[in-house]
Amino acid sequence: MQELLDQLASLREYLDIPGKTRRLNELDRELSDPDLWNNSGRARQVTQEAGTVRRIVEEYNDLSSNAASLTEMLEMADEEEREMLAEEQDNLARRVDDLYRETLFTMKHADTPAIVRVKSGAGGTESMDWAGMLARMYMRWAERRGYKVEMLDQVDGDQAGVQSSEFIIRGEKAFGMMAPEHGVHRLVRVSPFDSNNRRHTSFASVDVVPEVPEEEIDIHIPDSDLRRDVFRSQGAGGQGVNTTDSAVRLTHLPTGIAVACQITRSQIKNAELALQILKQRLYDIEVKKREAEEAKARGEQKKIEWGSQIRSYVLDKQYIKDHRSGLMKHNPDDVLDGDLDDLMWAGLEWMAGKRVADEAGDDE
């Protein structure tokens, strides 16, 4: 029980419960101001922040109260009563662990939907097949968690898989959970496309950005900076989608970033959605650019590690290894079928630890 009490004490400091309590009082005062509701964007922002802070503060206070009561009961209990209280202690430990996991969402916009793009690397059919496997893996993961997936665009591979697949995952902390998946994923296996049964290595990149609230994005794109192409939609979506030029691709000429959308039957709506996604990607680039400049100004020498090889899936030897956290899984079939939570939590712990280490380095 003492270990549990020590964990709670550490969480109180790490979560800054006194600071969050003060912040919650400030937000509640703002929420009680009738003028707030004249600004829908600010009202939504305050409501979301208040909900997040309130959940953490109330859960911590409840855990602290329950732990104090349980400690008193254990001190007075005999051996038989202690055994009866063991289940309550286990439940309390699980709740403390869940609250600890709340601290791992150190990235901004953790609560927003995730815009995911999976793209095949060099390697032809083998690489395209791998990209298709990754896209399916994330969709199966989202399905397991009860999240919603909206397909934005998909370019099928020549023989198998996909050249690229872009979709939005909507659900509680979707971006927060998906954030550690951003990077290059490596597949090693005996290729089913090689008649000589040789071992192949393939790469695919996973790009994850948050769907930032529109009012936060102050980006204007002149028409002269855009090239618009329309084409026939692919895949499922009904006869009307597949027989009309409803799909739209927007290319931002200064950066070369291209975004395609074929989610609706309307060319106009697809163009609007593509423009929204393009602004999200340009906003993400600007944020990362500012972070890199701030790091340089602080004298940091470490390179931002986004885009590096983060994980290897070695199917012929039946293991998956995350190169950042060191976690290894020996059930690759289950992982590729969406059993990703362990790898994601390990990735979030690595990200949180890296942030703490970087901040500690700043103070030296």
Side-chain angles (χ1 to χ4, degrees), residues 75 78 88 103 107 136 196 239 261 332 355:
E75 288 175 351
D78 57 29
E88 185 174 346
T103 70
M107 72 295 296
R136 177 187 179 277
N196 294 318
Q239 186 176 0
C261 183
R355 179 183 178 186

Side-chain angles (χ1 to χ4, degrees), residues 57 109 143 149 179 191 225 230-231 233 269 276 319 327 356:
V57 169
H109 302 302
E143 181 182 324
V149 177
S191 172
D225 285 352
V230 296
F231 56 97
S233 297
K269 289 183 179 179
Q276 290 176 18
Y319 75 83
L327 179 64
V356 171

Side-chain angles (χ1 to χ4, degrees), residues 214-276:
E214 192 171 347
E215 60 268 16
E216 289 189 34
I217 301 178
D218 184 19
I219 292 179
H220 172 68
I221 306 176
D223 291 341
S224 58
D225 285 352
L226 287 176
R227 186 179 72 235
R228 171 174 167 156
D229 300 300
V230 296
F231 56 97
R232 185 157 297 180
S233 297
Q234 300 179 23
Q239 186 176 0
V241 169
N242 294 321
T243 58
T244 61
D245 291 335
S246 59
V248 176
R249 179 182 295 107
L250 297 180
T251 303
H252 185 239
L253 299 177
T255 63
I257 296 174
V259 174
C261 183
Q262 51 179 307
I263 195 172
T264 77
R265 295 170 182 259
S266 167
Q267 185 182 118
I268 294 174
K269 289 183 179 179
N270 283 334
E272 291 174 351
L273 287 167
L275 183 60
Q276 290 176 18

Side-chain angles (χ1 to χ4, degrees), residues 117-136:
R117 175 186 285 172
V118 181
K119 188 175 181 180
S120 62
T125 299
E126 182 71 21
S127 177
M128 294 177 193
D129 188 50
W130 173 223
M133 291 166 64
L134 281 175
R136 177 187 179 277

Side-chain angles (χ1 to χ4, degrees), residues 260-364:
C261 183
Q262 51 179 307
I263 195 172
T264 77
R265 295 170 182 259
S266 167
Q267 185 182 118
I268 294 174
K269 289 183 179 179
N270 283 334
E272 291 174 351
L273 287 167
L275 183 60
Q276 290 176 18
I277 301 300
L278 178 59
K279 286 183 177 181
Q280 299 278 349
R281 294 199 173 279
L282 292 174
Y283 175 84
D284 189 63
I285 289 172
E286 286 300 314
V287 169
K288 287 185 170 62
K289 186 186 297 182
R290 286 199 300 270
E291 290 173 349
E293 290 172 350
E294 290 169 2
K296 185 177 180 180
R298 292 193 298 264
E300 294 179 11
Q301 299 300 318
K302 293 182 179 180
K303 293 183 179 179
I304 295 175
E305 297 187 35
W306 289 119
S308 62
Q309 180 178 306
I310 63 167
R311 192 178 299 150
S312 291
Y313 305 69
V314 186
L315 302 192
D316 57 328
K317 295 187 178 179
Q318 289 292 293
Y319 75 83
I320 293 173
K321 180 175 182 180
D322 190 282
H323 299 296
R324 303 156 302 173
S325 66
L327 179 64
M328 291 187 69
K329 302 285 288 182
H330 296 277
N331 57 336
D333 289 342
D334 293 338
V335 171
L336 290 172
D337 196 41
D339 186 8
L340 275 170
D341 280 3
D342 287 349
L343 287 162
M344 287 178 164
W345 286 120
L348 284 165
E349 285 188 323
W350 176 85
M351 290 174 68
K354 182 179 182 298
R355 179 183 178 186
V356 171
D358 288 347
E359 290 176 351
D362 293 345
D363 296 336
E364 293 177 356

